[in-house]
Amino acid sequence: MNMNEQEGMKVLKFGGTSVGNAARIKHVGGLISERKGNLVVLSAMSGVTNTLTEISDYLYKNNIPGAQDTLNALEMKYQGVVAELYDDAKWADEALSVIGNSVGYIRALIQGDFAVAEEKEILAQGELVSTALLLNHLKERGLNAVMLPALEFMRTDHNGEPDMKYISTRLLRMLDMTEEADVYITQGYICRNAYGEVDNLKRGGSDYTASLIGAVLESEEIQIWTDIDGMHNNDPRYVEGTRPVGELNFEEAAELAYFGAKILHPNCVLPAKLNNIPVRLLNTLEPSAPGTVIYNLPPDGDIKAVAAKDGITAINIKSGRRLVAYGFMHKVFETFENHKTGIDILATSEVGITVAIDNDTRLADIVDDLKMFGTVSVDQDMVIISVVGDLHWHHAGLAVRALHALEDIPVRLVSYGGSNYNISVVIPKDFKVQALRKLSEHLFNSNPQ
Ligand code: ASP
Ligand code: MG
């Protein structure tokens, strides 16, 4: 295909639940056949990456039968999918041969030495199989579907960051050398690292793959297809009557993804933003619903959505001196850096600082070190509640509106002004549902968007 034909190409990413069983794969096949000329990025079938992680865990523990049992169950699951998915034995055989190779490959690894490199090869199998299942299904439907193997163009550099130049050169060359097709398919999540070994973009990384490819192709749009009709204005698991947010800008989407809205991987936003490519969140089960579109939406003074992030620990450090001395902040931050623990949000005063973290694996050591600089207290089982929207400080009253909704709730920390797009509070987890509901009542129900 030549460069002109890539113009107007969209990247369509389908997540694990969208291809979770044979019926879902057929359904996605239908959606794809109505949208020809695009590039599809696929996750592993839902649950498969977890199963592959489980197999690896057994191997780390040297429990060979555990790994074998789990693999056998996966193989049977795949065979069931094949039996249901294809009418023509030709395509079923093609799919079975890929499954056979993949399962055989893992079986061989089970017998050998096991370390991180082997684990990554095992983890890559989920996407390798799901894409083969879909490819053959599309062919059975009569589509000219072409596989673009991700391991031949997705690559990270020595810092573990996507090697954009390599990805771009290889992918464009591959497309150039490929006949024009009805649809191109590739694996999400998997890649090679700087040493050429099989690697991945971390759990949930298929969104990131889609965004990187969209950026490289300067695609017209990146579509993330899941099983919910866009980013909702609150968490539908806890709050009734939530609505999809029609439009968000990249900053708002990144804040929501980072602070708890599970629908989109936070990394996915940046490549799209830098290349100004709209990201549209769509629902596989309700394809005509408008979903949410994320683009360079101009400031509109609207509060868009509320999200919650669980498992937060708040740590307060009161300076030993009456007034915070030069260097106090530095020492505090350095402590977190030394323990490779990122800080989510914080609040400071003249005499102390409270930080909120989501990774408490090094908590005991962190607290131990912080005691050199001041008096330390810790509150665990907290959540961050974030109100996200165009909250530029020039819009008088917006921050107050958000806080007003929380009048009956004990608030450990407030963070506002760090970005123009959010106000966040840390509260005890027992108040989470109440806070989310109150925020919806105050911010959305009285003022339908
Ligand atoms: N299959 C991978 C996972 O479950 C990547 C993805 O689905 O985005 O994390
Ligand atoms: Mg996902």
Side-chain angles (χ1 to χ4, degrees), residues 262-347:
K262 288 275 165 353
I263 182 164
L264 187 68
H265 196 282
N267 282 351
C268 161
V269 177
L270 193 62
K273 179 187 158 180
L274 293 178
N275 295 279
N276 197 14
I277 298 168
V279 177
R280 194 178 290 275
L281 309 179
L282 291 161
N283 185 354
T284 316
L285 304 175
E286 212 187 312
S288 56
T292 299
V293 59
I294 302 161
Y295 67 110
N296 277 322
L297 171 72
D300 55 11
D302 273 349
I303 292 180
K304 308 290 192 327
V306 176
K309 186 171 181 180
D310 297 325
I312 299 297
T313 301
I315 307 166
N316 174 260
I317 310 106
K318 218 160 43 153
S319 166
R321 311 209 184 162
R322 246 200 94 54
L323 288 180
V324 172
Y326 284 118
F328 171 71
M329 295 280 186
H330 174 75
K331 285 177 191 142
V332 169
F333 290 144
E334 201 175 36
T335 305
F336 285 89
E337 191 186 330
N338 290 344
H339 293 286
K340 296 194 166 39
T341 299
I343 293 171
D344 280 349
I345 54 175
L346 56 85

Coordinates of all heavy atoms in Angstrom, one line a residue, residues 262-347:
K262 N -11.1 3.3 35.3 CA -10.3 2.1 34.7 C -10.4 2.0 33.2 O -9.7 1.2 32.6 CB -10.9 0.8 35.4 CG -10.5 0.7 36.8 CD -9.1 0.1 37.0 CE -8.5 0.2 38.3 NZ -9.0 0.9 39.3
I263 N -11.2 2.8 32.6 CA -11.6 2.5 31.2 C -10.4 2.7 30.2 O -10.3 2.1 29.2 CB -12.8 3.4 30.8 CG1 -13.2 3.1 29.3 CG2 -12.6 4.8 31.0 CD1 -14.6 3.6 29.1
L264 N -9.4 3.6 30.6 CA -8.4 3.9 29.7 C -7.0 3.9 30.4 O -6.9 4.3 31.6 CB -8.6 5.3 29.2 CG -7.7 5.9 28.1 CD1 -7.9 5.1 26.8 CD2 -8.0 7.4 27.9
H265 N -6.0 3.3 29.8 CA -4.7 3.3 30.4 C -4.1 4.7 30.4 O -4.0 5.3 29.4 CB -3.8 2.3 29.7 CG -2.6 1.9 30.5 ND1 -1.5 2.7 30.6 CD2 -2.3 0.8 31.2 CE1 -0.6 2.1 31.3 NE2 -1.1 0.9 31.7
P266 N -3.6 5.2 31.6 CA -3.1 6.5 31.6 C -2.0 6.8 30.5 O -2.0 7.9 30.0 CB -2.5 6.7 33.0 CG -3.1 5.6 33.8 CD -3.5 4.5 32.9
N267 N -1.1 5.8 30.3 CA 0.0 6.1 29.3 C -0.6 6.4 27.9 O 0.1 6.9 27.1 CB 0.8 4.8 29.2 CG 1.8 4.7 30.3 OD1 1.9 5.6 31.1 ND2 2.4 3.5 30.4
C268 N -1.7 5.9 27.7 CA -2.3 6.0 26.3 C -2.6 7.4 25.9 O -2.6 7.7 24.7 CB -3.6 5.2 26.3 SG -4.7 5.5 25.0
V269 N -2.7 8.3 26.8 CA -3.1 9.7 26.4 C -2.0 10.5 25.8 O -2.2 11.2 24.8 CB -3.6 10.4 27.7 CG1 -4.0 11.9 27.3 CG2 -4.8 9.7 28.3
L270 N -0.8 10.3 26.3 CA 0.3 11.2 25.8 C 0.6 11.1 24.3 O 0.7 12.2 23.7 CB 1.6 10.9 26.7 CG 2.6 12.0 26.5 CD1 2.1 13.4 27.0 CD2 3.9 11.6 27.3
P271 N 0.9 9.9 23.8 CA 1.2 9.9 22.3 C 0.1 10.6 21.5 O 0.3 11.3 20.5 CB 1.3 8.4 22.0 CG 1.6 7.8 23.3 CD 0.9 8.6 24.3
A272 N -1.2 10.3 21.9 CA -2.3 10.9 21.1 C -2.3 12.4 21.3 O -2.5 13.1 20.3 CB -3.6 10.3 21.6
K273 N -2.1 12.9 22.5 CA -2.1 14.3 22.7 C -0.9 15.0 21.9 O -1.2 16.0 21.3 CB -1.9 14.5 24.2 CG -1.8 16.0 24.6 CD -1.5 16.1 26.1 CE -0.9 17.5 26.2 NZ -0.5 17.9 27.5
L274 N 0.3 14.4 22.0 CA 1.4 15.1 21.4 C 1.2 15.2 19.9 O 1.6 16.1 19.2 CB 2.7 14.3 21.6 CG 3.2 14.3 23.1 CD1 4.4 13.5 23.3 CD2 3.4 15.8 23.6
N275 N 0.5 14.2 19.3 CA 0.3 14.2 17.9 C -1.1 14.7 17.5 O -1.5 14.6 16.3 CB 0.5 12.8 17.3 CG 2.0 12.4 17.5 OD1 2.8 12.8 16.7 ND2 2.3 11.7 18.5
N276 N -1.9 15.1 18.5 CA -3.2 15.7 18.3 C -4.1 14.8 17.5 O -4.7 15.2 16.5 CB -3.0 17.1 17.5 CG -4.2 17.9 17.6 OD1 -5.1 17.7 18.4 ND2 -4.3 18.9 16.7
I277 N -4.2 13.6 18.0 CA -5.1 12.6 17.4 C -6.2 12.3 18.4 O -6.0 11.8 19.5 CB -4.3 11.3 17.1 CG1 -3.2 11.6 16.1 CG2 -5.2 10.2 16.5 CD1 -2.2 10.6 15.9
P278 N -7.5 12.5 18.0 CA -8.6 12.2 18.9 C -8.6 10.8 19.3 O -8.4 9.9 18.5 CB -9.8 12.6 18.1 CG -9.3 13.4 16.9 CD -7.9 13.0 16.7
V279 N -9.0 10.5 20.6 CA -9.2 9.2 21.1 C -10.7 9.1 21.4 O -11.2 9.9 22.1 CB -8.4 8.9 22.4 CG1 -8.7 7.5 22.9 CG2 -6.9 9.1 22.1
R280 N -11.3 8.1 20.8 CA -12.8 7.9 21.0 C -13.0 6.6 21.8 O -12.5 5.6 21.4 CB -13.5 7.9 19.7 CG -15.0 8.0 19.8 CD -15.6 8.0 18.4 NE -15.3 9.2 17.6 CZ -16.0 10.4 17.8 NH1 -17.0 10.5 18.6 NH2 -15.7 11.4 17.0
L281 N -13.7 6.7 22.9 CA -14.0 5.5 23.7 C -15.4 5.0 23.3 O -16.4 5.7 23.4 CB -14.0 5.8 25.2 CG -12.8 6.6 25.7 CD1 -12.9 6.9 27.1 CD2 -11.5 5.8 25.4
L282 N -15.5 3.8 22.8 CA -16.7 3.2 22.3 C -17.1 1.9 22.9 O -16.2 1.2 23.5 CB -16.6 3.0 20.8 CG -16.5 4.4 20.0 CD1 -15.9 4.1 18.6 CD2 -17.8 5.0 19.8
N283 N -18.4 1.6 22.8 CA -18.9 0.4 23.5 C -19.2 -0.7 22.4 O -20.0 -0.5 21.5 CB -20.2 0.8 24.2 CG -20.8 -0.4 25.0 OD1 -20.2 -1.5 24.9 ND2 -21.8 -0.1 25.8
T284 N -18.5 -1.8 22.5 CA -18.7 -2.9 21.6 C -20.1 -3.4 21.6 O -20.6 -3.8 20.6 CB -17.8 -4.1 22.1 OG1 -16.5 -3.6 22.4 CG2 -17.6 -5.1 20.9
L285 N -20.8 -3.4 22.8 CA -22.1 -3.9 22.9 C -23.2 -2.9 22.4 O -24.3 -3.2 22.2 CB -22.4 -4.3 24.3 CG -21.4 -5.4 24.9 CD1 -21.6 -5.7 26.3 CD2 -21.4 -6.6 24.0
E286 N -22.8 -1.7 22.2 CA -23.7 -0.6 21.8 C -23.0 0.3 20.8 O -22.7 1.5 21.1 CB -24.2 0.2 23.0 CG -25.6 0.7 22.9 CD -26.0 1.6 24.0 OE1 -25.7 1.2 25.2 OE2 -26.5 2.7 23.8
P287 N -22.7 -0.2 19.6 CA -21.7 0.5 18.8 C -22.2 1.8 18.3 O -21.4 2.7 17.9 CB -21.6 -0.5 17.6 CG -22.3 -1.7 17.9 CD -23.1 -1.5 19.1
S288 N -23.5 2.1 18.3 CA -24.0 3.4 17.8 C -23.9 4.5 18.8 O -24.2 5.6 18.5 CB -25.3 3.2 17.1 OG -26.2 2.7 18.1
A289 N -23.7 4.1 20.1 CA -23.7 5.1 21.2 C -22.5 6.0 20.9 O -21.4 5.5 20.5 CB -23.6 4.5 22.5
P290 N -22.6 7.3 21.1 CA -21.5 8.3 20.8 C -20.3 8.1 21.6 O -19.2 8.4 21.2 CB -22.1 9.6 21.0 CG -23.3 9.4 21.9 CD -23.8 8.0 21.6
G291 N -20.4 7.5 22.8 CA -19.2 7.3 23.7 C -18.6 8.7 24.1 O -19.2 9.7 24.3
T292 N -17.2 8.6 24.3 CA -16.5 9.8 24.8 C -15.4 10.1 23.8 O -14.7 9.2 23.4 CB -15.9 9.6 26.1 OG1 -16.9 9.3 27.1 CG2 -15.1 10.8 26.6
V293 N -15.3 11.4 23.4 CA -14.2 11.7 22.5 C -13.2 12.6 23.3 O -13.7 13.6 23.9 CB -14.6 12.3 21.1 CG1 -15.4 13.5 21.3 CG2 -13.4 12.6 20.2
I294 N -12.0 12.3 23.2 CA -10.9 13.0 23.9 C -10.1 13.7 22.8 O -9.5 13.1 21.9 CB -10.0 12.0 24.7 CG1 -10.9 11.2 25.7 CG2 -8.9 12.8 25.4 CD1 -10.2 10.0 26.2
Y295 N -10.0 15.0 22.9 CA -9.2 15.8 21.9 C -8.8 17.1 22.5 O -9.0 17.3 23.7 CB -10.1 15.9 20.6 CG -11.3 16.8 20.7 CD1 -11.3 18.1 20.1 CD2 -12.4 16.4 21.4 CE1 -12.4 18.9 20.2 CE2 -13.5 17.2 21.5 CZ -13.5 18.4 20.9 OH -14.6 19.3 21.0
N296 N -8.3 18.0 21.7 CA -7.9 19.3 22.2 C -9.1 20.2 22.4 O -9.2 21.2 21.8 CB -6.8 19.9 21.3 CG -5.4 19.3 21.6 OD1 -5.1 19.1 22.8 ND2 -4.6 19.1 20.6
L297 N -9.9 19.8 23.3 CA -11.2 20.5 23.6 C -10.8 21.8 24.2 O -10.1 21.9 25.2 CB -12.0 19.7 24.5 CG -13.2 20.3 25.2 CD1 -14.3 20.5 24.1 CD2 -13.8 19.4 26.3
P298 N -11.3 23.0 23.7 CA -10.9 24.2 24.3 C -11.5 24.4 25.7 O -12.5 23.7 26.0 CB -11.6 25.3 23.4 CG -12.0 24.5 22.2 CD -12.1 23.1 22.5
P299 N -11.0 25.2 26.6 CA -11.5 25.4 27.9 C -13.0 25.7 27.9 O -13.4 26.5 27.1 CB -10.7 26.5 28.5 CG -9.5 26.6 27.6 CD -9.8 26.1 26.3
D300 N -13.8 25.1 28.7 CA -15.2 25.3 28.7 C -15.8 25.6 30.1 O -17.0 25.8 30.3 CB -15.9 24.2 28.1 CG -15.6 22.8 28.7 OD1 -15.0 22.9 29.8 OD2 -16.0 21.8 28.2
G301 N -14.9 25.6 31.2 CA -15.4 25.9 32.5 C -16.3 24.8 33.1 O -17.0 25.1 34.0
D302 N -16.3 23.6 32.5 CA -17.2 22.6 33.0 C -16.5 21.6 33.9 O -15.3 21.2 33.6 CB -17.7 21.7 31.8 CG -19.0 22.4 31.3 OD1 -19.5 23.3 31.9 OD2 -19.4 21.9 30.2
I303 N -17.2 21.2 35.0 CA -16.7 20.0 35.7 C -17.2 18.8 35.0 O -18.4 18.7 34.7 CB -17.3 20.1 37.2 CG1 -16.6 21.2 37.9 CG2 -17.0 18.7 37.9 CD1 -17.1 21.4 39.4
K304 N -16.3 17.9 34.7 CA -16.7 16.8 33.8 C -17.0 15.5 34.5 O -18.0 14.8 34.2 CB -15.6 16.4 32.8 CG -15.0 17.6 32.0 CD -16.0 18.1 31.0 CE -15.4 19.1 30.0 NZ -14.3 20.0 30.5
A305 N -16.2 15.1 35.5 CA -16.4 13.8 36.1 C -15.7 13.7 37.4 O -14.8 14.5 37.8 CB -15.8 12.7 35.1
V306 N -16.1 12.6 38.1 CA -15.5 12.3 39.5 C -14.9 10.9 39.4 O -15.5 10.0 38.8 CB -16.6 12.4 40.5 CG1 -16.1 12.0 41.9 CG2 -17.2 13.8 40.5
A307 N -13.8 10.7 40.0 CA -13.2 9.3 40.1 C -12.6 9.1 41.4 O -12.3 10.0 42.2 CB -12.1 9.2 39.0
A308 N -12.5 7.8 41.8 CA -11.9 7.4 43.1 C -10.7 6.5 42.8 O -10.8 5.6 42.0 CB -12.9 6.8 43.9
K309 N -9.7 6.6 43.6 CA -8.6 5.7 43.5 C -8.4 5.1 44.9 O -8.2 5.8 45.9 CB -7.3 6.5 43.1 CG -6.1 5.6 42.9 CD -5.0 6.5 42.3 CE -3.8 5.6 42.0 NZ -2.7 6.4 41.4
D310 N -8.4 3.8 45.0 CA -8.4 3.0 46.3 C -6.9 2.8 46.7 O -6.0 3.0 46.0 CB -9.1 1.7 46.1 CG -10.5 1.8 45.8 OD1 -11.2 2.8 46.3 OD2 -11.1 1.0 45.0
G311 N -6.8 2.3 47.9 CA -5.6 1.8 48.4 C -4.5 2.9 48.7 O -3.4 2.7 48.4
I312 N -5.0 4.0 49.2 CA -4.1 5.1 49.4 C -3.7 5.2 50.9 O -4.4 4.9 51.8 CB -4.9 6.4 49.0 CG1 -5.3 6.4 47.6 CG2 -4.0 7.7 49.4 CD1 -4.1 6.4 46.6
T313 N -2.4 5.6 51.1 CA -1.8 5.8 52.4 C -1.4 7.3 52.5 O -0.8 7.8 51.5 CB -0.6 4.9 52.6 OG1 -1.0 3.6 52.5 CG2 0.0 5.1 54.0
A314 N -1.8 8.0 53.5 CA -1.4 9.3 53.7 C -0.3 9.4 54.8 O -0.5 8.7 55.9 CB -2.6 10.2 54.2
I315 N 0.7 10.1 54.5 CA 1.9 10.2 55.5 C 2.1 11.6 55.8 O 2.3 12.4 54.9 CB 3.1 9.5 54.9 CG1 2.9 8.1 54.4 CG2 4.3 9.6 55.9 CD1 4.0 7.6 53.5
N316 N 2.1 11.9 57.1 CA 2.3 13.3 57.5 C 3.7 13.4 58.1 O 4.0 12.6 59.0 CB 1.2 13.8 58.4 CG 1.6 15.2 59.0 OD1 2.0 15.3 60.1 ND2 1.3 16.2 58.2
I317 N 4.5 14.4 57.7 CA 5.8 14.6 58.4 C 5.8 16.1 58.9 O 5.6 17.0 58.1 CB 7.0 14.5 57.4 CG1 6.8 13.2 56.6 CG2 8.3 14.5 58.1 CD1 6.4 13.3 55.2
K318 N 5.9 16.2 60.2 CA 5.9 17.5 60.8 C 7.4 17.8 61.1 O 8.1 17.0 61.7 CB 5.1 17.5 62.1 CG 4.3 18.7 62.4 CD 3.2 18.5 63.4 CE 3.7 17.6 64.6 NZ 3.3 17.6 65.8
S319 N 7.8 19.0 60.6 CA 9.2 19.3 60.7 C 9.6 19.5 62.2 O 8.8 19.9 63.0 CB 9.4 20.6 60.0 OG 10.7 21.1 60.4
G320 N 10.8 19.0 62.5 CA 11.3 19.1 63.9 C 11.4 20.6 64.3 O 11.3 20.9 65.5
R321 N 11.6 21.5 63.3 CA 11.8 22.9 63.7 C 10.5 23.6 63.6 O 9.5 23.1 63.1 CB 12.7 23.6 62.7 CG 14.0 22.7 62.5 CD 15.1 23.6 62.1 NE 16.3 22.7 61.8 CZ 17.3 23.2 61.1 NH1 17.3 24.4 60.7 NH2 18.3 22.4 60.9
R322 N 10.4 24.8 64.2 CA 9.2 25.5 64.2 C 8.8 25.9 62.8 O 7.6 25.8 62.4 CB 9.3 26.8 65.1 CG 8.4 26.7 66.3 CD 8.0 27.9 67.0 NE 6.8 28.5 66.6 CZ 5.6 28.0 66.6 NH1 5.5 26.7 66.9 NH2 4.5 28.6 66.2
L323 N 9.7 26.5 62.1 CA 9.4 26.8 60.7 C 10.2 25.8 59.8 O 11.3 25.4 60.1 CB 9.8 28.2 60.4 CG 8.9 29.3 61.0 CD1 9.4 30.7 60.6 CD2 7.5 29.1 60.6
V324 N 9.6 25.5 58.7 CA 10.2 24.5 57.8 C 11.6 25.1 57.3 O 11.6 26.2 56.7 CB 9.3 24.2 56.6 CG1 10.1 23.3 55.6 CG2 8.1 23.5 57.1
A325 N 12.6 24.4 57.6 CA 13.9 24.8 57.2 C 14.2 24.6 55.7 O 13.5 23.7 55.1 CB 15.0 24.1 58.0
Y326 N 15.1 25.3 55.1 CA 15.5 25.0 53.8 C 15.9 23.5 53.7 O 16.6 23.0 54.7 CB 16.8 25.8 53.4 CG 16.5 27.2 53.1 CD1 17.0 28.2 53.9 CD2 15.7 27.5 52.0 CE1 16.8 29.6 53.6 CE2 15.4 28.9 51.7 CZ 15.9 29.9 52.5 OH 15.7 31.2 52.2
G327 N 15.6 22.8 52.7 CA 16.0 21.5 52.5 C 15.1 20.4 53.1 O 15.3 19.2 52.8
F328 N 14.1 20.8 53.9 CA 13.2 19.9 54.5 C 12.4 19.1 53.4 O 12.4 17.9 53.4 CB 12.3 20.6 55.4 CG 11.1 19.7 56.0 CD1 11.4 18.7 56.9 CD2 9.8 19.9 55.5 CE1 10.4 17.9 57.4 CE2 8.8 19.1 56.0 CZ 9.1 18.1 56.9
M329 N 11.8 19.8 52.5 CA 11.1 19.2 51.4 C 12.0 18.3 50.6 O 11.6 17.2 50.2 CB 10.6 20.3 50.4 CG 9.6 21.2 51.0 SD 8.0 20.5 51.0 CE 7.1 21.9 51.6
H330 N 13.2 18.8 50.3 CA 14.1 18.0 49.5 C 14.4 16.6 50.2 O 14.3 15.6 49.5 CB 15.4 18.8 49.4 CG 16.5 18.0 48.7 ND1 16.5 17.8 47.3 CD2 17.6 17.4 49.2 CE1 17.5 17.0 47.0 NE2 18.2 16.8 48.1
K331 N 14.6 16.7 51.5 CA 14.9 15.4 52.2 C 13.7 14.5 52.1 O 13.8 13.3 52.0 CB 15.3 15.7 53.6 CG 16.7 16.3 53.7 CD 16.9 16.6 55.2 CE 18.2 17.4 55.3 NZ 18.1 18.4 56.3
V332 N 12.5 15.1 52.3 CA 11.3 14.2 52.3 C 11.1 13.6 50.9 O 11.0 12.4 50.8 CB 10.0 15.1 52.6 CG1 8.8 14.3 52.3 CG2 10.1 15.5 54.1
F333 N 11.3 14.4 49.8 CA 11.1 13.8 48.5 C 12.2 12.8 48.2 O 11.9 11.8 47.6 CB 11.1 15.0 47.4 CG 9.9 15.8 47.5 CD1 10.0 17.2 47.2 CD2 8.7 15.3 47.8 CE1 8.9 18.0 47.3 CE2 7.5 16.1 47.8 CZ 7.6 17.5 47.6
E334 N 13.4 13.1 48.6 CA 14.5 12.2 48.4 C 14.2 10.8 49.0 O 14.5 9.8 48.4 CB 15.8 12.8 48.9 CG 17.0 12.2 48.3 CD 18.2 12.9 48.8 OE1 18.3 13.3 50.0 OE2 19.2 13.1 48.0
T335 N 13.6 10.8 50.2 CA 13.3 9.6 50.8 C 12.4 8.7 50.0 O 12.6 7.5 49.8 CB 12.6 9.9 52.2 OG1 13.4 10.7 53.0 CG2 12.3 8.6 53.0
F336 N 11.3 9.4 49.4 CA 10.4 8.6 48.6 C 11.1 8.1 47.3 O 10.9 7.0 46.8 CB 9.2 9.5 48.2 CG 8.2 9.6 49.4 CD1 8.4 10.6 50.3 CD2 7.3 8.6 49.6 CE1 7.5 10.7 51.4 CE2 6.4 8.7 50.7 CZ 6.5 9.7 51.6
E337 N 12.0 9.0 46.8 CA 12.7 8.6 45.6 C 13.6 7.4 45.9 O 13.7 6.4 45.1 CB 13.6 9.8 45.1 CG 14.2 9.6 43.7 CD 15.1 10.7 43.4 OE1 14.9 11.8 43.8 OE2 16.1 10.4 42.6
N338 N 14.3 7.5 47.0 CA 15.2 6.3 47.4 C 14.5 5.0 47.5 O 15.0 4.0 47.2 CB 15.9 6.6 48.8 CG 16.9 7.7 48.7 OD1 17.3 8.1 47.6 ND2 17.2 8.3 49.9
H339 N 13.2 5.1 47.9 CA 12.4 3.9 48.0 C 11.5 3.6 46.7 O 10.6 2.9 46.8 CB 11.6 3.9 49.3 CG 12.4 3.9 50.5 ND1 13.0 2.7 50.9 CD2 12.8 4.8 51.4 CE1 13.8 2.9 52.0 NE2 13.6 4.2 52.3
K340 N 11.9 4.3 45.7 CA 11.2 4.1 44.4 C 9.7 4.2 44.5 O 8.9 3.3 44.0 CB 11.6 2.8 43.7 CG 13.1 2.8 43.4 CD 13.4 1.6 42.4 CE 14.7 1.7 41.8 NZ 15.8 2.2 42.6
T341 N 9.2 5.1 45.3 CA 7.8 5.2 45.6 C 7.3 6.6 45.1 O 7.7 7.6 45.5 CB 7.5 5.1 47.1 OG1 7.9 3.8 47.5 CG2 6.0 5.2 47.4
G342 N 6.4 6.6 44.1 CA 5.8 7.8 43.6 C 4.8 8.4 44.5 O 4.1 7.7 45.3
I343 N 4.8 9.8 44.5 CA 3.8 10.5 45.3 C 2.6 10.8 44.4 O 2.8 11.4 43.3 CB 4.4 11.7 45.9 CG1 5.5 11.3 46.9 CG2 3.4 12.6 46.6 CD1 6.3 12.5 47.4
D344 N 1.4 10.5 44.8 CA 0.2 10.8 44.0 C -0.1 12.3 44.2 O -0.2 13.0 43.2 CB -1.0 10.0 44.5 CG -0.9 8.6 43.9 OD1 -0.1 8.4 43.0 OD2 -1.7 7.7 44.3
I345 N -0.4 12.7 45.4 CA -0.8 14.2 45.6 C -0.2 14.5 47.0 O 0.1 13.7 47.8 CB -2.3 14.4 45.6 CG1 -3.0 13.5 46.5 CG2 -2.8 14.3 44.2 CD1 -4.5 13.9 46.6
L346 N -0.2 15.8 47.3 CA 0.4 16.3 48.5 C -0.2 17.6 48.9 O -0.8 18.4 48.1 CB 1.9 16.3 48.5 CG 2.5 17.2 47.4 CD1 2.7 18.6 47.9 CD2 3.9 16.6 47.2
A347 N 0.0 17.9 50.2 CA -0.4 19.3 50.7 C 0.7 19.7 51.7 O 1.3 18.9 52.4 CB -1.7 19.2 51.5

